[in-house]
Amino acid sequence: MARITIADIAKAAGVSTGAVSYALNDRPGVSDATRARILAIAADLGWAPSSAARSLSGARTETVGLVLARDPATLGVESFYMQFLAGIESELSQRSYALLLQVVPDQATEMRTYRAWRAARRVDGVILVDPSVDDPRIAMFSEPEALPAVVVGDPGLAGGLTSVWTDDAAAIRESVRYLHAVGHRRIARIAGLEGFGHTGIRDDAFRDEVAVWGAEGLVVRTDYSAIQGAVATRTLLTSAAPPTAIIYDNDVMAVAGLGVASEIGVRVPQEVSMIAWDDSPLCEATYPRLSALSHDVTRYGAHVARRLFDRMAGQTGGSYLDSTPALRPRGTTTHAPS
């Protein structure tokens, strides 16, 4: 397939090659509307600067990119990403780099954003989050001309790209073992979005570990929001056979679940034990304090950023285990009711 050139873009846009050059190199000389139209056409055509052109220009944007295909309302209360971004920024600031963050509604828009960034040379590297099974982004960033990228997720989802991950399967197994050891035999998991690879990893580990101990395991699907976490908790606790323990996929849903239990008169932990995930300051602010699967999310973000700088410097990638979330029992877990 022939390489797309600046002349091809100029013809499709109905402008001069000079105007295309100005737009692609983010220089003055064209209006904002024309620049946006040229960048969109370049992305649609699949244009990318050649390796030779890149090396001749020696241009660095001193910017890395991160796209979140999430509901902005969810991000507003999701403590994980605030801590994760703080960790990334701690490394970027040491190198005078900036973070280009974009929140988009879906993965198709995310893919178009990456194509536009590559066409315009907007960023030097990209952090990919929330990988899924057979994720099309993995193929995109495995191409020869692709931007350097680091996948935040299990190496089984990264397709050979550099990955930094936490051992979520081991964390789920530890939680189930602990709950079983203190007498719980009916354990529920209020889980996140099914399409995310890490959700599937947690699902499998939960089901396997529950089966190992001969317990009953229930999985309820949500979108990670406090609203759906509350609805799922209410449904479980008012059922004919409510669980005696619940593991949540984030701390926001666990806080909401704790509120629901208080509202309907179910005592925590005497009648139901609860375990949150990520262990943000929210878990210390509740009463009783939430037991949680704890890991340093800020350090995690910094680790990801360091690996991306390695890739942008041309170093060979790999798979790097950051941590295994550890269970921190507090006031919301105890022995199962007799």
Side-chain angles (χ1 to χ4, degrees), residues 60-314:
R60 284 276 185 179
T61 67
E62 296 186 340
T63 302
V64 301
L66 171 60
V67 182
L68 295 176
R70 292 284 191 99
D71 182 348
T74 302
L75 290 173
V77 295
E78 178 59 80
S79 61
F80 173 88
Y81 275 112
M82 296 306 101
Q83 296 176 76
F84 186 70
L85 292 173
I88 293 172
E89 290 283 10
S90 71
E91 290 293 326
L92 299 188
S93 62
Q94 293 181 35
R95 298 165 172 83
S96 298
Y97 259 68
L99 176 66
L100 178 55
L101 173 65
Q102 197 154 334
V103 180
V104 299
D106 51 48
Q107 194 177 77
T109 308
E110 182 178 354
M111 299 280 282
R112 288 196 296 272
T113 300
Y114 295 137
R115 286 192 287 268
W117 283 355
R118 186 176 71 168
R121 286 182 277 187
R122 293 287 306 279
V123 298
D124 297 331
V126 171
I127 295 169
L128 300 176
V129 299
D130 297 329
S132 60
V133 177
D134 299 325
D135 195 316
R137 297 174 300 170
I138 302 302
M140 169 185 278
F141 283 92
S142 298
E143 295 171 356
E145 295 293 335
L147 291 163
V150 170
V151 177
V152 182
D154 189 274
L157 302 166
L161 296 177
T162 297
S163 63
V164 182
W165 57 293
T166 59
D167 194 344
D168 289 5
I172 279 285
R173 291 179 184 277
E174 180 188 8
S175 298
V176 173
R177 284 196 299 270
Y178 165 80
L179 292 170
H180 184 272
V182 293
H184 294 278
R185 299 295 181 265
R186 196 160 54 254
I187 304 169
R189 178 165 165 266
I190 296 184
L193 296 166
E194 195 167 15
F196 291 159
H198 67 265
T199 305
I201 288 169
R202 295 178 188 183
D203 286 347
D204 292 343
F206 177 75
R207 292 191 180 103
D208 290 349
E209 197 66 19
V210 165
V212 164
W213 297 103
E216 179 185 350
L218 308 168
V219 176
V220 181
R221 198 69 59 196
T222 71
D223 64 356
Y224 291 107
S225 70
I227 291 174
Q228 289 200 12
V231 169
T233 303
R234 183 175 287 105
T235 299
L236 287 169
L237 295 183
T238 57
S239 65
T244 62
I246 304 174
I247 304 170
Y248 294 84
D249 254 13
N250 68 8
D251 46 14
V252 172
M253 293 195 297
V255 171
L258 190 58
V260 166
S262 176
E263 174 192 329
I264 64 177
V266 175
R267 295 174 300 157
V268 180
Q270 293 89 342
E271 294 175 90
V272 63
S273 289
M274 294 181 171
I275 296 175
W277 200 295
D278 290 331
D279 199 17
S280 77
L282 283 174
C283 296
E284 295 276 7
T286 61
Y287 182 80
R289 293 185 306 152
L290 274 160
S291 301
L293 288 159
S294 180
H295 63 123
D296 190 332
V297 178
T298 302
R299 188 184 68 183
Y300 189 22
H303 187 181
V304 169
R306 289 195 299 274
R307 296 301 179 183
L308 182 57
F309 277 111
D310 289 345
R311 288 293 299 119
M312 292 188 300

